[in-house]
Amino acid sequence: MRYLIDGYNLLHAMGVLTGRVGPHGLEKARLALLGRLLALHADDPGRVTVVFDAANAPPGAERELEHEGVHVLFA
């Protein structure tokens, strides 16, 4: 089974993103989410795609990348 996850909505639902975040808060929150997903899907992280919906990818990041096997998109 494949998993398609709306990253920012999940972070909000988990209570990780509430209100304003510090200078690197979004990056830390994204990495924490990806770490949790990797722990849950260590046997086959390639089944997971996480979409972070924002105007642009974070500075220096590609719009599409792999994070330890998890497919990440910035849409």
Side-chain angles (χ1 to χ4, degrees):
M1 176 184 288
R2 298 208 39 89
Y3 297 92
L4 178 61
I5 298 167
D6 183 325
Y8 289 133
N9 282 350
L10 182 55
L11 285 169
H12 281 286
M14 293 169 55
V16 175
L17 291 179
T18 57
R20 298 182 64 90
V21 295
H24 298 286
L26 283 177
E27 179 181 6
K28 289 177 184 176
R30 286 190 300 265
L31 289 173
L33 176 61
L34 293 172
R36 286 184 182 190
L37 292 170
L38 281 166
L40 289 170
H41 299 281
D43 59 322
D44 190 5
R47 295 182 300 162
V48 180
T49 298
V50 181
V51 179
F52 293 104
D53 56 341
N56 295 304
E62 299 292 325
R63 293 187 62 77
E64 186 172 344
L65 57 98
E66 295 290 322
H67 179 83
E68 297 184 35
V70 173
H71 191 199
V72 179
L73 299 170
F74 292 96

